[in-house]
Amino acid sequence: MDEKKKKGSNIETTTLEKVPMEERKNWIDVALIQAGIMICVPSLLLGGILAESMSLTNAILSGVVGYLIVIVLFCLMGIMGSDLGVPTCVTAIGGFGKKGARFIISTLIFISMIGWFAVQTSVCGDAFSNLIDQFFHISVSPVISMVIWGLIMLVTAVYGINALDKLNKVAVPALFIVTIVGCIMALNKYGTQQLSVNPAVPSMSFIDGIVLTVSFMAAGCLAASDITRYQRTRKDTIISSSLGVAPAGVLMVVLGAIMTRVAQQYDITLVFCEIGIPILGMLVLISATWTTNTTNAYSGGINAVLMFNLAENKRAAATMVAGLIGTVCAVFGLADHFEDFLYILGDALLPTMGVILADYWIIGRGKPENYRMPDGFNWIGIISWLCGYAVIKLIPYGVPFAQGIITAAALYVILAKMIKRPQDKLN
């Protein structure tokens, strides 16, 4: 590491280059960061949507099955990051080419992360204003709340992976304990009678619940390498992804579903307030949003560096801009279209994983030494991605996300064998 980095600030400067082995972390640190991403109010909303649309048993089971699929995608994408030591936008170069990764993948992830930052900031700002108005009789405009909390959460993202590590080491264990205790307290207050009352006419099938859950995590799966590039081995990546994503994700689905049934309110932070402990509700709201939103801005900044062809050390500035754009979007109400946003996001992002995974795991046989980064556009990958997207949009029955990923992956392998990839022509 050069002397300038040693003497400089604690702001992370490794962006698109390979993370040195001495800077990588143990699996527990990365698992806590992954868990912090999962623990948030929108994750509770997912459980609430499922609980309102089907029986409680099916709601929880569809969420569990969805997260099992998410773990597989997380591990496959994450191992690429730990193998190569680079973020998702760089691991995508093999399948899409340098220009394709820059103008397609980075742009998609950048927009996605800004959208997630906006959603989280909007939810936090609205809830914070309502909470202090209702229980402390202090009137603060939701817009002001969004701006204040958006900027606060952005600071952690600007500093990078070490700041994320420190934040989640404190926040995640506390959030696990507090949310479980809150659920028990709510059950004691409201009773359990409503848990067995199912919707008269379910508005969502079991498969739809799985699709919604996977779509909910589409951006997180695709961006997995942004965090797992700091893992030393494949084993560490599998453990951190499995233990970081699944327990926290399932916990949020269960809590959101149960709270929706017994308290008619999926947001456990507001349930805390109704129970009579609003300060604890406020702390949970802030902590849960902070651990998730800081990663959204962090990944947005990484992709902005490639998308705008910035210098390696400009990630902090790019992250700041990404977070500011997200905050502005929050003020203009992106969260009002949350469920639609999830489906649109998943439709666009999931087939790109088919291409990226096929290029690395099938054509490249999962060996880092076989990975190549061709210049320009890899049209084989782009065509395969578009066909996968078309399958999702034009064949709505079945399991659209699986059909989209498999179509993109299969077509990429076939075309790569028939036409040859740009990197094959270079060899």
Side-chain angles (χ1 to χ4, degrees), residues 381-400:
I382 294 171
I383 291 170
S384 300
W385 163 58
L386 291 174
C387 288
Y389 177 73
V391 166
I392 290 176
K393 301 305 291 184
L394 299 176
I395 308 178
Y397 50 86
V399 186

Side-chain angles (χ1 to χ4, degrees), residues 171-228:
V172 169
L175 285 167
F176 259 97
I177 295 170
V178 170
T179 52
I180 292 172
V181 170
C183 181
I184 295 172
M185 294 175 67
L187 289 173
N188 287 334
K189 178 179 175 61
Y190 297 106
T192 60
Q193 294 85 354
Q194 291 299 315
L195 293 179
S196 58
V197 179
N198 296 319
V201 181
S203 59
M204 185 182 295
S205 70
F206 184 80
I207 296 298
D208 288 338
I210 296 174
V211 171
L212 178 62
T213 303
V214 177
S215 296
F216 176 84
M217 283 303 300
C221 292
L222 185 58
S225 293
D226 293 354
I227 305 298
T228 61

